[in-house]
Amino acid sequence: MKRRQFIQSMLASATAASVFVSLKKKTLAHSVPSQLLYGVRVNAGKVELFSLDLNTLEVQDLSSIIPEIILQPNERLSSFTVMLDGTLIVATAPVMTLQPINPSRLITLSPSTTLPNLQSLDQNSTVESLCATNNGELLSIISRNRGIPPFSLAKIDQETGEVNFLDDQLALPTNARFSNLTECPDDHLYATYLAGQSPTKMVQLFLDEGNFTTLSQLSYDGRLLYNDLLGQAYSPLDDGTFVLANPTNQGTNSLFWVSEEVGEMEFITEFAVDKIAFARS
């Protein structure tokens, strides 16, 4: 609960950035290295990259250092992750209301790096979530019906593009939306779960046991959240889960910290991006 304590203190102060730094260092009792959270968005069809320093809340536009990537008119940005070697990867998916001309694809934002075309996906299957794991694998949550249930967990081979579904290890319920896959430093997998008229839940996935468990119902300002998050990322410094959301339907998306046990989203700062992922140390 360390993060909760200093975020609450930060929100009570008019000098948010400086209090964020001083309280974080005081709480952890040592000098804290700068944590960079990357964010991507699509602007006029072009993919843009930004970084947010969680110690200073400074945002930098990094779009000039990545290759120019233009999405097709029927494509949307569906996920974003950072590999162990620092390679930035985004996933795209066809817009659900249009006939999919281009299948889901993986695109690297890192210069001089290429990725193969995805294999073993039919025209209705779309990559909805990517997670670069601590052991170098690339996991994904894939919709079998153009962005809506059913969903499957899969492993993607970065060399061949082969998609290997893991339904034999963990069969997800067919009537619910699973997304925002992320992994914490101790290798636990988290995701969000949304079914019917129920609130959005944070869940933990257990591949070894073939099941999942609900950790909490997400809420903001005392109200349960009924729409899905835009992104979720676990701090590599083990400072907890950070999520991108727009719970009050404002014009700009914002970054929040979430207690897995309680589910209350605590506002950090506005962050005008569509997906988030932490830089790897």
Side-chain angles (χ1 to χ4, degrees):
M1 299 301 289
K2 293 179 291 186
R3 173 72 63 171
R4 181 185 183 93
Q5 293 170 353
F6 75 71
I7 287 181
Q8 288 176 333
S9 299
M10 177 188 70
L11 295 178
S13 172
T15 56
S18 62
V19 173
F20 191 100
V21 176
S22 62
L23 286 182
K24 188 172 192 292
K25 290 183 177 180
K26 181 178 179 181
T27 303
L28 298 181
H30 59 74
S31 179
V32 178
S34 176
Q35 279 201 87
L36 283 184
L37 182 71
Y38 288 128
V40 291
R41 71 181 183 190
V42 177
N43 183 18
K46 182 179 178 180
V47 177
E48 298 178 333
L49 175 68
F50 298 85
S51 68
L52 170 65
D53 189 318
L54 289 182
N55 287 331
T56 64
L57 303 186
E58 177 185 4
V59 175
Q60 290 190 344
D61 187 346
L62 305 178
S63 303
S64 62
I65 67 173
I66 64 173
E68 183 174 88
I69 298 170
I70 305 296
L71 298 191
Q72 300 298 318
N74 73 319
E75 278 187 309
R76 59 184 171 87
L77 190 66
S78 61
S79 191
F80 174 46
T81 194
V82 182
M83 302 300 296
L84 285 178
D85 62 2
T87 300
L88 310 174
I89 299 176
V90 296
T92 71
V95 176
M96 191 175 65
T97 57
L98 298 177
Q99 180 66 27
I101 300 172
N102 300 303
S104 276
R105 56 179 178 147
L106 302 185
I107 306 171
T108 176
L109 304 185
S110 301
S112 305
T113 304
T114 59
L115 294 171
N117 293 330
L118 295 175
Q119 308 295 321
S120 306
L121 288 183
D122 61 35
Q123 64 176 3
N124 292 319
S125 297
T126 58
V127 174
E128 297 296 326
S129 186
L130 287 176
C131 175
T133 67
N134 300 326
N135 62 2
E137 294 181 334
L138 186 60
L139 296 182
S140 175
I141 293 177
I142 295 178
S143 164
R144 299 296 187 99
N145 190 23
R146 303 187 190 181
I148 60 177
F151 291 85
S152 291
L153 193 65
K155 184 185 300 182
I156 299 176
D157 190 306
Q158 303 158 59
E159 300 297 327
T160 66
E162 188 69 27
V163 178
N164 299 301
F165 290 98
L166 304 178
D167 294 332
D168 57 336
Q169 291 184 247
L170 176 58
L172 301 177
T174 59
N175 62 344
R177 174 176 176 79
F178 285 81
S179 55
N180 300 302
L181 186 65
T182 189
E183 185 181 47
C184 67
D186 61 5
D187 302 334
H188 290 161
L189 288 173
Y190 297 117
T192 54
Y193 170 87
L194 188 59
Q197 303 300 313
S198 299
T200 304
K201 300 178 177 66
M202 183 177 291
V203 298
Q204 185 174 349
L205 308 180
F206 299 94
L207 292 183
D208 293 340
E209 301 175 10
N211 58 29
F212 69 94
T213 184
T214 299
L215 299 176
S216 59
Q217 296 185 130
L218 294 176
S219 62
Y220 175 65
D221 198 23
R223 299 182 180 181
L224 293 173
L225 190 71
Y226 285 90
N227 56 309
D228 206 357
L229 302 174
L230 301 171
Q232 178 172 257
Y234 201 102
S235 163
L237 297 184
D238 202 20
D239 282 337
T241 304
F242 294 78
V243 301
L244 185 72
N246 191 354
T248 56
N249 296 316
Q250 300 298 314
T252 303
N253 297 331
S254 296
L255 185 70
F256 301 82
W257 180 82
V258 179
S259 164
E260 295 92 347
E261 297 83 3
V262 179
E264 175 68 17
M265 298 164 50
E266 300 184 26
F267 176 81
I268 297 177
T269 186
E270 292 184 350
F271 196 23
V273 295
D274 300 326
K275 302 293 177 182
I276 55 173
F278 271 102
R280 305 301 288 255
S281 58

